[in-house]
Amino acid sequence: MRQRYGRELSVAASIAFLCVVLAVLAPGYFSGENLADLFLANMPVLLIALGMNMVVLTGQIDISVGSMFAVCGIVAGVLAKAGWPVMMAGVGAVAAGAAMGAINGALVAYVRIPSIVVTLATMVALRDGLRWATQGAWVSDLPAGFQWLGLSQASYPLLIAGTAVVSVAGIGWVLRNLSAGRAVYATGSNPEAARLAGIDSNRVTFGAFAVTGALTGIAAVLNSVRFDQIPSNAGLGLEMKVIAAVVVGGTAITGGSGSTAGTVLGVILLGAIGPALTFLGVSAYWERALQGAIILAAVVVELIRERAEKRVAARA
């Protein structure tokens, strides 16, 4: 068990250690209000990370999710102001996210442009295009039923919790038990072997990007309804948090290895670190530097592990 779930166990141990430190030095961190704020603030990261995990499992990467997140939030607000029912406005935003993800996927899978190039280009294009379209203005004067999706502020977190549970359980089950999930792992492990086994690796890659776009749209809608205005600059740095959570959770950056549980633990660890720094009296500006260091450390550990496995296999 330790060998199979080693990375997940190490991340869980890190979370436990952080909790012990905070319990001793900053017990106020565990107040109900702070924990609720942490949960709501990190829900978008969790949803997008579930999609990003699939993209990375196929051996690709998507650094445009922050820009897509901003676009989807604005789309939801604009449609709601145009008179669309709140749920239909949300569906429109999710469709926009899926379409943007599908464009990325098509360029990567069928045009064969490296994913880092494609998503870097779309990240810049979407962000600058949105800035031009909105002139930096936020979407305000939203319909009364838009905030909290028409629910009370007290009941809305229950909807969010249900969405999180269903998303994690559903995607985890698909990756573990369905042929579509196994195809994702096979594509990332060895695309040529997957092709010879009858798997359409291009379609798998395309689907992973499209699903990530749709999850980004859902995350943007659930985040937007928490406020009475929707910023046009939302999602700045979001891609860093998402990718860090996936890599820290044990998904190999080269693809083919990783788990949904590890991604969830990665989101919890990284989501807890930023506020923990504040409670411990450390400048929050260190959060981004710490995220980068964690990504680098995780990649180095993964490379060391892979080389050790190759040496063992060579001796066998």
Side-chain angles (χ1 to χ4, degrees), residues 1-306:
M1 179 176 177
R2 180 176 297 178
Q3 183 176 1
R4 183 175 180 182
Y5 300 106
R7 179 65 71 82
E8 290 87 345
L9 291 173
S10 65
V11 178
S14 299
I15 294 171
F17 175 75
L18 180 62
C19 288
V20 170
V21 171
L22 289 168
V24 174
L25 300 179
Y29 183 90
F30 297 100
S31 68
E33 183 179 357
N34 185 58
L35 293 179
D37 288 342
L38 279 175
F39 173 68
L40 292 176
N42 285 285
M43 252 309 277
V45 180
L46 173 61
L47 289 176
I48 301 171
L50 293 174
M52 184 68 74
N53 184 46
M54 289 187 284
V55 170
V56 176
L57 283 172
T58 64
Q60 308 296 339
I61 198 166
D62 187 345
I63 61 172
S64 67
V65 291
S67 298
M68 287 196 291
F69 180 82
V71 171
C72 291
I74 293 295
V75 168
V78 168
L79 293 179
K81 285 189 66 174
W84 287 40
V86 175
M87 294 307 299
M88 291 306 299
V91 170
V94 173
M100 289 184 283
I103 292 172
N104 283 341
L107 292 172
V108 172
Y110 299 110
V111 186
R112 302 300 177 89
I113 304 175
S115 58
I116 186 67
V117 176
V118 170
T119 57
L120 176 62
T122 52
M123 176 184 74
V124 175
L126 291 173
R127 183 69 69 181
D128 287 348
L130 184 61
R131 186 180 296 114
W132 173 82
T134 62
Q135 295 297 302
W138 294 19
V139 179
S140 56
D141 300 323
L142 293 161
F146 185 82
Q147 193 168 23
W148 310 115
L149 292 175
L151 302 173
S152 68
Q153 187 172 353
S155 60
Y156 179 74
L158 298 177
L159 172 65
I160 293 292
T163 302
V165 170
V166 170
S167 300
V168 170
I171 292 175
W173 185 83
V174 167
L175 288 176
R176 286 194 311 270
N177 299 290
L178 295 188
S179 58
R182 292 193 293 273
V184 170
Y185 283 98
T187 297
S189 297
N190 191 324
E192 182 60 22
R195 184 186 67 80
L196 294 175
I199 296 172
D200 187 344
S201 296
N202 291 335
R203 186 168 64 180
V204 172
T205 300
F206 172 83
F209 276 96
V211 169
T212 300
L215 287 170
T216 301
I218 295 172
V221 172
L222 294 178
N223 185 70
S224 296
V225 299
R226 294 173 55 206
F227 311 102
D228 57 4
Q229 291 182 315
I230 302 175
S232 57
N233 62 346
L236 291 172
L238 180 59
E239 58 281 336
M240 172 75 88
K241 294 181 181 179
V242 169
I243 295 170
V246 171
V247 174
V248 169
T251 300
I253 198 68
T254 53
S257 174
S259 68
T260 301
T263 295
V264 174
L265 290 171
V267 171
I268 293 172
L269 177 61
L270 293 175
I273 285 177
L277 293 176
T278 301
F279 272 84
L280 294 173
V282 180
S283 173
Y285 289 111
W286 283 99
E287 181 180 2
R288 296 287 294 277
L290 191 56
Q291 289 173 356
I294 289 174
I295 292 176
L296 181 60
V299 171
V300 170
V301 169
E302 184 63 30
L303 289 174
I304 293 173
R305 185 190 65 80
E306 287 183 359

